[in-house]
Amino acid sequence: MTSPHHTSPLAEELASDVLERFLRYVRIDTQAAYRVARRPSTEKQLDLSKVLVEELRELGLEDVTLTAGSNVFASLPGRAGSPVMGLIAHVDTTPDVLGAGVTPIVHRAWGGETIELPGDSRQALDPKALPELRERVGHDIVTSDGTTLLGADDKAGIAEIMSAVAHLARNPERVRAPIRVAFTVDEEVGRGAEGFDLGEFGADVAYTLDGSGLGELEVETFSATSVRVVIRGLSVHPGTAKGKLVNAVKLAAELVTSLPKDRLSPETTEAREGYVHPHRISGNAEEAIVDFIARDHDDELLEQHVALLCELAEQVGVREPRAHVEIEVRPSYRNMRPFIEQNPRVVDAALEAIRRAGVEPKLAITRGGTDGAVLSALGLPTPNLFTGGQEYHSVREWASVQDMAAAAATIVELAGVWAEET
């Protein structure tokens, strides 16, 4: 009899393997770095990639390769004539929160009380403030100790893919489509699909395992642009600075404070509302750098957000003509929706697989991006499946083991759905 907290017998069967893999993977530090030219931006990301290469070989997958682009590729054969299904997750974690020394904690059969994170007395998960957590009473909840992120983004996705392909490899009698697996680097710094060779990958359709809530299939992302503003001032000894000092730090602070206060920011928007976000600032009196991201589901509105940032940056130079202001604009990715809409079967198949895994599917949008957004624009339709992780990019990140198991079961079912396309 299936546990009341598991969505299906298959999910219950996969749960222990998903958890064991997840706990191992999150302990490997794979934090990426911003504005580093080499790929991967940090060599330590490959520590996990190499582990995955060995595990995939041990499972009996074929063509297991760490590519020149630092992607892990592997194949699991399936029914001849069926579309080749790709499964993608990223090994790196965000640079914004400490990712080294992760100590995962499993709160078994969580009873609904506030979860105290023992590494930092200030950190706790209060179900009154977290409706998704409040709905997981009785689940096994995984957290960090509160001093680091957990790494469910995206090591939950990796564990689910690995558990699913392990199950399929052990059960060759189960009819499945051919599968191509990919684990990328540097997704968190907007470079996950860089160097991704679609011809070498060889999938007809694909899915990223990089979503969140149970049953969600994300078919729409933000479009995103990064904006870097470099302000060059003039540093002078403060004892003799009168009339000479041009303090780039102060000018950078003025730029940030000139942003709208009650709109157009992550903390004041939701759903399809876009934003501009100063996510990194560095420098000194001589030179200061402010990095922004601009995002919106509407490309025309995104252009307006970028134009606003450029105007505000230019005004810094107008107010202080002795300063030199440089603005760099870099497109990051585009909303995947128009590309996904060209292949509705990729959505329908996923919705059916989610149902077969015992979950009510939900079409969703994401206020972010995935490797799938870039790959979809390149011609490989790649919507984003749920993983069961929550509160990403935070020391309060958490994941439900039961939801992760449901995601792994969905992958197995999805391979069966695509096999029916023969």
Side-chain angles (χ1 to χ4, degrees):
M1 181 176 178
T2 305
S3 162
H5 300 298
H6 283 291
T7 62
S8 69
L10 176 59
E12 186 169 24
E13 177 184 346
L14 296 174
S16 61
D17 185 54
V18 170
L19 176 60
E20 188 274 331
R21 293 179 186 278
F22 181 63
L23 295 180
R24 282 195 290 112
Y25 300 155
V26 298
R27 289 185 169 94
I28 302 173
D29 178 15
T30 58
Q31 193 172 40
Y34 291 118
R35 295 279 178 163
V36 176
R38 68 177 181 271
R39 179 179 174 85
S41 60
T42 57
E43 285 296 316
K44 60 188 176 182
Q45 293 178 59
L46 297 181
D47 293 344
L48 178 53
S49 299
K50 292 171 183 176
V51 167
L52 295 170
V53 165
E54 292 306 310
E55 291 187 3
L56 287 163
R57 287 175 177 159
E58 290 170 2
L59 291 174
L61 270 73
E62 301 175 359
D63 307 317
V64 182
T65 307
L66 182 58
T67 72
S70 298
N71 300 308
V72 176
F73 283 174
S75 299
L76 184 66
R79 172 174 280 180
S82 298
V84 179
M85 181 181 79
L87 299 169
I88 304 168
H90 62 89
V91 302
D92 61 308
T93 58
T94 178
D96 295 334
V97 181
L98 181 64
V102 174
T103 303
I105 301 171
V106 183
H107 307 266
R108 297 280 185 181
W110 173 64
E113 68 282 356
T114 296
I115 300 175
E116 306 288 345
L117 303 183
D120 185 343
S121 60
R122 300 170 302 170
Q123 305 299 341
L125 302 181
D126 183 354
K128 294 178 182 176
L130 299 169
E132 294 84 4
L133 178 62
R134 191 166 61 242
E135 295 171 0
R136 299 299 184 274
V137 174
H139 284 222
D140 302 317
I141 304 298
V142 188
T143 70
S144 75
D145 68 353
T147 62
T148 69
L149 50 68
L150 176 60
D153 182 10
D154 188 25
K155 290 167 187 173
I158 294 172
E160 291 152 9
I161 291 173
M162 292 295 291
S163 183
V165 296
H167 174 83
L168 289 168
R170 289 193 306 268
N171 295 276
E173 75 284 354
R174 187 163 191 142
V175 178
R176 61 176 183 252
I179 293 172
R180 284 288 276 167
V181 171
F183 298 123
T184 64
V185 297
D186 283 337
E187 191 271 353
E188 294 291 1
V189 292
R191 298 174 58 200
E194 186 177 296
F196 195 104
D197 189 327
L198 289 180
E200 182 182 3
F201 189 49
D204 297 304
V205 297
Y207 300 88
T208 47
L209 271 291
D210 196 15
S212 185
L214 179 68
E216 289 185 348
L217 177 69
E218 293 172 342
V219 296
E220 184 175 352
T221 62
F222 272 137
S223 291
T225 299
S226 65
V227 179
R228 166 168 281 197
V229 179
V230 180
I231 302 171
R232 293 187 173 90
L234 178 64
S235 180
V236 180
H237 189 288
T240 58
K242 185 175 181 179
K244 305 173 188 176
L245 174 65
V246 180
N247 192 327
V249 171
K250 286 187 175 181
L251 296 176
E254 289 178 11
L255 171 59
V256 173
T257 57
S258 70
L259 294 170
K261 302 295 188 297
D262 56 357
R263 64 180 183 89
L264 213 60
S265 64
E267 59 270 32
T268 60
T269 56
E270 61 184 351
R272 285 188 169 82
E273 297 173 320
Y275 60 75
V276 296
H277 176 50
H279 72 99
R280 193 161 171 258
I281 187 166
S282 61
N284 52 35
E286 182 74 16
E287 180 182 277
I289 300 172
V290 187
D291 285 313
F292 297 88
I293 55 175
R295 291 181 171 175
D296 207 292
H297 289 89
D298 184 308
D299 286 354
E300 291 185 6
L301 290 177
L302 177 62
E303 291 179 6
Q304 294 176 24
H305 304 335
V306 172
L308 172 63
L309 284 176
C310 292
E311 179 185 354
L312 294 175
E314 290 165 357
Q315 288 175 3
V316 171
V318 172
R319 290 193 298 270
E320 178 46 270
R322 294 177 298 167
H324 180 69
V325 179
E326 295 179 0
I327 304 169
E328 176 189 292
V329 177
R330 287 186 181 181
S332 300
Y333 54 83
R334 284 295 173 264
N335 188 345
M336 68 164 70
R337 180 176 179 176
F339 310 106
I340 298 297
E341 287 178 339
Q342 294 173 20
N343 191 338
R345 181 58 186 152
V346 74
V347 173
D348 294 341
L351 297 178
E352 175 61 22
I354 294 169
R355 291 187 191 97
R356 293 184 187 184
V359 181
E360 182 61 32
K362 293 172 278 190
L363 289 177
I365 65 172
T366 177
R367 288 174 57 80
T370 69
D371 284 338
V374 179
L375 297 176
S376 294
L378 292 174
L380 178 64
T382 310
N384 191 31
L385 280 164
F386 71 97
T387 66
Q390 302 279 353
E391 299 294 307
Y392 289 160
H393 295 203
S394 166
V395 296
R396 300 181 187 184
E397 187 181 9
W398 60 274
S400 157
V401 175
Q402 284 78 1
D403 290 358
M404 289 194 291
T410 295
I411 296 170
V412 173
E413 300 289 0
L414 189 55
V417 173
W418 280 111
E420 296 166 8
E421 295 290 311
T422 302

